[in-house]
Amino acid sequence: MFKQKIHLDLPDSNITYYPNLIDPKAATHYFNILKNAAPWQQDDIKVFGKIYPQPRLTAFYGNGSKSYSYSNITMHPRPFTDKLLEIKQKIEEIEYVEFNSCLLNLYRNGKDSNGWHADDEKELGQNPIIASISLGQERTFHLRHKKDTKLKHKITLEHGSLLLMKGSTQHYWQHQVPKTAKPILERINLTFRIIQ
C-alpha cells in the first residue's frame, strides 16, 4: 500500500505531505464519528497579556497520563478510542514510530483559526515529530521561517491528508491556519505527537 507523498523543499525542515493517506469515504466516516463523540471544549488563551476564547474547539487523547501544556492551557488525556487508534496505525505504518498522544482541533467555520506558533513545547522533546491529519473542509496551512522572514510557504490540507513535520522543523519554522472570510464547512485536525 504505497501512498502518494510530496516532500516540501524548504531549508531547515523535514516536512512531507501525503494528500490521500485516508480515502475520502473513510475520512468522512472518521470525521462524523469524531465530531459527534469527542468531548470538545473551548479554553481561554492568553495573548499579549489579554484573555480570549480559543478560536476553535479542542480535545486531547493519549495512551498514558501525560498532560500537554501550551498557551497557559494544560490538557489531560482521555484514553484513545478505537477510531483514533486506527488512524494512528495508518501513520505509524509510514513513520515507524509510536505516537502516544493526539490533540484534536475542530474548526467550526472560517472564523476559527490557529495563530502563528511552533510545536516546540519541552514535553515534545528535542526534535518533535508532529503528524497532522485533516478531515472535512480543506484549509490553507501557512509556514514561515523564524529567522529569514522572506521564506514562506503555503499548502492546502485536503480531506484525508497527512502533513508530517519532523527533525529540526519546529526550531526554524512557525505555522498557522489563518481565518478566512469564505463561507466554509467544518474541519477536524488530528495532531499526533510523542510526549516525553
Side-chain angles (χ1 to χ4, degrees):
M1 180 186 71
F2 180 77
K3 296 290 184 182
Q4 179 190 2
K5 70 177 182 177
I6 301 162
H7 187 75
L8 304 191
D9 187 18
L10 300 172
D12 305 320
S13 76
N14 188 341
I15 306 173
T16 308
Y17 180 59
Y18 297 81
N20 60 344
L21 182 77
I22 304 170
D23 73 68
K25 186 176 179 182
T28 299
H29 175 66
Y30 287 133
F31 175 91
N32 290 331
I33 288 176
L34 292 170
K35 185 194 167 188
N36 293 315
W40 299 109
Q41 63 189 63
Q42 185 173 28
D43 295 294
D44 288 332
I45 56 171
K46 194 171 188 177
V47 182
F48 301 119
K50 293 188 177 182
I51 305 293
Y52 300 96
Q54 196 171 27
R56 62 191 178 280
L57 305 184
T58 59
F60 185 58
Y61 291 84
N63 60 6
S65 60
K66 293 179 179 178
S67 60
Y68 179 54
S69 299
Y70 67 99
S71 301
N72 294 316
I73 297 168
T74 298
M75 302 192 76
H76 302 283
R78 293 172 179 263
F80 276 126
T81 65
D82 289 345
K83 295 301 179 187
L84 285 173
L85 288 173
E86 284 178 17
I87 298 170
K88 187 168 88 80
Q89 184 178 0
K90 290 177 188 294
I91 303 167
E92 291 171 348
E93 286 172 358
I94 292 173
E95 189 50 31
Y96 307 112
V97 299
E98 186 174 347
F99 294 97
N100 63 11
S101 63
C102 183
L103 178 65
L104 282 67
N105 295 286
L106 173 58
Y107 297 83
R108 295 160 292 181
N109 51 45
K111 294 178 183 177
D112 276 359
S113 63
N114 200 341
W116 285 114
H117 70 285
D119 293 315
D120 55 4
E121 293 80 15
K122 66 179 185 298
E123 61 260 52
L124 296 178
Q126 177 66 23
N127 289 312
I129 301 175
I130 309 294
S132 176
I133 294 281
S134 292
L135 303 171
Q137 176 71 54
E138 61 183 37
R139 293 289 293 261
T140 304
F141 185 81
H142 290 203
L143 290 147
R144 71 179 181 189
H145 198 278
K146 291 182 182 180
K147 295 179 180 176
D148 186 350
T149 54
K150 294 176 188 170
L151 281 175
K152 296 177 182 177
H153 188 78
K154 61 183 178 181
I155 183 171
T156 300
L157 301 180
E158 300 162 274
H159 184 46
S161 67
L162 165 66
L163 186 75
L164 194 61
M165 298 183 285
K166 59 184 182 177
S168 62
T169 304
Q170 304 302 324
H171 296 282
Y172 293 99
W173 290 84
Q174 290 182 314
H175 53 273
Q176 71 163 352
V177 177
K179 297 179 189 300
T180 176
K182 295 176 184 175
I184 60 171
L185 301 174
E186 295 168 310
R187 170 184 183 251
I188 293 176
N189 169 232
L190 317 178
T191 53
F192 289 89
R193 304 147 187 269
I194 301 170
I195 294 182
Q196 307 290 319

